[in-house]
Amino acid sequence: MESDGTNGTAKRMKLSEEDKESMVEEGSGVLVPGEETEPATASNSEQMEMEIAQILEKINSFTQMVSELLESGKSMLKELSNDFEDRLILIHKEQMEKWQEEIKELRLLDAANEEIDAVLHNAKYLLRNIHGGP
């Protein structure tokens, strides 16, 4: 994975003492390019810490909101699930009652048909006897 002895991370070159001396003379007010004075660094650090604290507060707030939404969603789904279950049980019960009523009506119809069949059978028997048939 590594090629030509490099490991993919950038390395800063160390400045020699001569380079340092040429950039900053001891005791003079000359600044090293890209660096700031001590008070500005402290002020930037304080501002940076404030911005980080604000971002962390946003993270906490967002996490709290997500947590509340999850709990609310769970609660709503649980309520919907219970309502669904109750409604499904009610539909089942109504359908069972409907079919039980149909069975009852079929049994009554069957009993009535049996009675009519018996009456017709007796009538047929009587008609045969009256006409003297076999």
Side-chain angles (χ1 to χ4, degrees):
M1 294 286 171
E2 293 181 17
S3 60
D4 299 325
T6 60
N7 62 2
T9 57
K11 293 182 180 179
R12 284 193 291 162
M13 294 178 58
K14 292 185 179 180
L15 295 177
S16 67
E17 288 300 316
E18 294 174 9
D19 291 336
K20 289 180 186 176
E21 287 176 14
S22 67
M23 292 180 76
V24 180
E25 292 181 15
E26 195 170 324
S28 68
V30 178
L31 295 176
V32 175
E35 292 185 12
E36 297 179 12
T37 61
E38 193 71 28
T41 303
S43 133
N44 281 344
S45 293
E46 288 175 20
Q47 182 177 354
M48 190 67 65
E49 290 299 321
M50 267 183 38
E51 290 179 16
I52 290 171
Q54 288 173 347
I55 292 171
L56 290 173
E57 181 58 35
K58 287 177 186 178
I59 289 171
N60 288 337
S61 175
F62 184 72
T63 301
Q64 182 65 31
M65 183 181 70
V66 168
S67 177
E68 289 170 2
L69 285 172
L70 283 171
E71 287 302 315
S72 175
K74 283 181 185 178
S75 175
M76 285 178 15
L77 287 174
K78 182 70 173 167
E79 188 176 318
L80 281 172
S81 175
N82 290 338
D83 289 348
F84 176 76
E85 182 179 352
D86 292 344
R87 181 68 180 138
L88 202 53
I89 290 170
L90 181 63
I91 289 170
H92 181 266
K93 182 180 175 184
E94 289 173 352
Q95 188 63 47
M96 291 296 110
E97 288 173 357
K98 179 182 170 187
W99 285 333
Q100 290 294 331
E101 187 62 32
E102 285 181 26
I103 290 170
K104 183 180 174 182
E105 289 175 6
L106 286 172
R107 285 186 175 148
L108 288 173
L109 182 61
D110 186 49
N113 284 339
E114 289 293 325
E115 285 179 31
I116 292 171
D117 188 48
V119 169
L120 289 174
H121 184 66
N122 287 338
K124 185 177 175 183
Y125 179 75
L126 288 173
L127 285 173
R128 279 189 200 159
N129 286 339
I130 293 175
H131 293 306

